[in-house]
Amino acid sequence: MLRDARAGSGASPHWRRAKSFAIGLVATCALGLAQAEGCSVEQVGTSELIEERGQFNLPVTINGHANAVFLVDTGAENSVVDASLAAELALPERRGTRARQIGVDGVAGPARADVTAAQLAFAGAEHTDLAMAVRTPGAGKAGASRGIVGASLLSRYDVEFDFPAQRLNLYKVKNCDRGSALFKPWRQPYDSVVLEVSPRHILSLPVVVDGKPLTMALDTGATFSTITFDAAVKLGLDIDRLKAKAPRSTSYGVSGSPIDNFTQRFGRVQIGQSAYGAVPLRVAGIHVKPYDGILGLDFLRSRKVWVSYATQQLLVERTPAIPK
C-alpha cells in the first residue's frame, strides 16, 4: 500500500479452495446481455499486463510519449511518476501541492511537489490535466516500472484483471447495484465478495482466518499477503515464538527501510463463499491501519478477478476445490 501525506495547501504459494464451501454465485448471462432497466456495462479498453519480479505493469502514454510501463496498484491512493521520468518529459510542478509518499513501513519520504501530466492514457482510457505525485529515485522501485497507476484512476472504472492471460480490461458500469440480477459479467462460476471503498478509494474486504474475522486491503501492488502483528495476536499467535520459529524474509518499504516478515501457515482462510486450506501468510510490522493486513498477488495471480468500484464487490473466478 502507498499513501500520501500532503503538506501546505496542497514464486508464490497456491491458494486452493476447500470443497466444503462450494456454494456461491453462477453467472448466467454474458456481459453484453447485462443491459436493461438502466444497468449498463460498456468496455472502455484493454491492455496487456507485463509480469516482472512478481508484480504486474501495464504500458502507459504520457503527453503522447509511449515510453513507459507503470505498476497497476489498487493499494496506492494516487498515481505516481518517477522523478526521472517527470524530468525527461518536463512535467510542470503544480503550485501549492506537496506530498510525502508513505508505504507499509510507515516511514514518510521527502515532500515533493506534484506535477501535471497534460495527458495520460492506459488500456484505452485517456485522462487530461492529471495531478501526479512524484516518486523519489530508488524509493519502492523495482525493475522497469517508472510509476504507478493507482486507485484515484482505477476507481473511475470497473477493472477486470485476467492474471492467467495477463490482460487488464476496463469497463464503465452505470446504474447497476450489488444485488442486481442484471450485473453478471461472466458465464463461468464465481464468488462475489462485498468490498468497502474508503474516501481515498482503497478497497477492503472481510477475510476469516481460522474462524476469526479480519479486514484486509485489496492490493494488486503487493506480491504477498501480509497481516500485522496486532492481527496475529487476534489470531492467537505468540509473536516472540513466531519470530523465533517461523521462516523469515526481508522486504523493503517505500523509504527503502527493511521489513522483517515471518511466514505462518493457517489451516483455513475464508473469502466470501470460498475457503482455502493450508494458507501461508506473512506476518510483519506493517502500518496499514485501519486494516489488519493486505491481500496480495499470491491469492490473485492464479485467478481472474473483477474489481467493481461501481457496485462495491469483488468477483473471483472459481478454482478447483481441495479434495476431502
Side-chain angles (χ1 to χ4, degrees):
M1 291 183 66
L2 185 66
R3 296 179 288 119
D4 273 3
R6 297 194 171 267
S9 60
S12 65
H14 296 288
W15 289 52
R16 299 184 61 202
R17 188 168 61 85
K19 192 172 183 180
S20 59
F21 283 81
I23 62 175
L25 303 179
V26 178
T28 58
C29 60
L31 179 64
L33 301 179
Q35 299 187 21
E37 300 293 334
C39 175
S40 67
V41 182
E42 179 182 357
Q43 185 165 2
V44 175
T46 185
S47 172
E48 66 177 321
L49 287 173
I50 303 166
E51 187 172 6
E52 182 187 27
R53 301 186 183 184
Q55 295 179 310
F56 289 91
N57 302 325
L58 79 171
V60 302
T61 299
I62 302 180
N63 293 356
H65 298 275
N67 60 347
V69 295
F70 278 23
L71 178 70
V72 56
D73 189 356
T74 59
E77 291 180 348
N78 292 303
S79 295
V80 177
V81 62
D82 280 1
S84 60
L85 182 58
E88 287 174 23
L89 300 178
L91 300 182
E93 291 188 355
R94 295 175 77 95
R95 293 182 179 179
T97 60
R98 298 179 67 81
R100 298 179 185 271
Q101 302 301 307
I102 305 174
V104 295
D105 57 357
V107 179
R112 300 183 66 100
D114 287 355
V115 296
T116 298
Q119 175 259 6
L120 184 143
F122 66 95
E126 183 171 338
H127 302 272
T128 58
D129 191 29
L130 181 70
M132 303 186 74
V134 177
R135 184 163 62 179
T136 302
K141 177 173 168 54
S145 168
R146 302 194 70 186
I148 297 171
V149 175
S152 60
L153 286 180
L154 296 172
S155 62
R156 303 180 189 187
Y157 309 96
D158 270 23
V159 188
E160 181 185 42
F161 293 92
D162 190 343
F163 288 110
Q166 297 192 358
R167 300 296 303 180
L168 178 143
N169 300 306
L170 295 182
Y171 297 89
K172 276 292 188 182
V173 175
K174 298 180 181 179
N175 302 318
C176 302
D177 58 42
R178 188 182 298 158
S180 174
L182 301 171
F183 181 70
K184 295 189 181 297
W186 299 332
R187 291 185 181 276
Q188 67 268 35
Y190 62 87
D191 291 329
S192 172
V193 185
V194 173
L195 291 173
E196 294 291 333
V197 184
S198 80
R200 301 299 296 270
H201 312 296
I202 297 300
L203 303 164
S204 61
L205 67 160
V207 177
V208 181
V209 180
D210 286 346
K212 297 181 174 65
L214 300 178
T215 299
M216 299 181 72
L218 184 70
D219 193 346
T220 61
T223 307
F224 295 100
S225 298
T226 306
I227 61 173
T228 66
F229 285 134
D230 286 346
V233 171
K234 289 183 187 179
L235 298 176
L237 296 184
D238 182 305
I239 300 303
D240 290 336
R241 180 178 176 81
L242 178 75
K243 289 181 176 181
K245 300 290 186 180
R248 178 175 174 172
S249 59
T250 302
S251 57
Y252 295 88
V254 170
S255 67
S257 58
I259 301 171
D260 290 331
N261 303 278
F262 305 90
T263 300
Q264 173 72 24
R265 192 173 294 273
F266 294 90
R268 184 175 292 266
V269 176
Q270 184 178 346
I271 299 174
Q273 294 83 24
S274 290
Y276 306 86
V279 175
L281 296 176
R282 288 185 171 187
V283 182
I286 57 174
H287 298 259
V288 293
K289 287 183 177 180
Y291 311 114
D292 295 306
I294 51 179
L295 187 66
L297 288 169
D298 48 350
F299 170 69
L300 298 168
R301 71 185 319 110
S302 63
R303 296 171 171 80
K304 183 162 66 172
V305 300
W306 183 296
V307 177
S308 181
Y309 288 94
T311 67
Q312 297 190 7
Q313 61 183 323
L314 173 70
L315 309 183
V316 183
E317 182 183 39
R318 289 282 187 83
T319 55
I322 301 171
K324 287 185 178 179

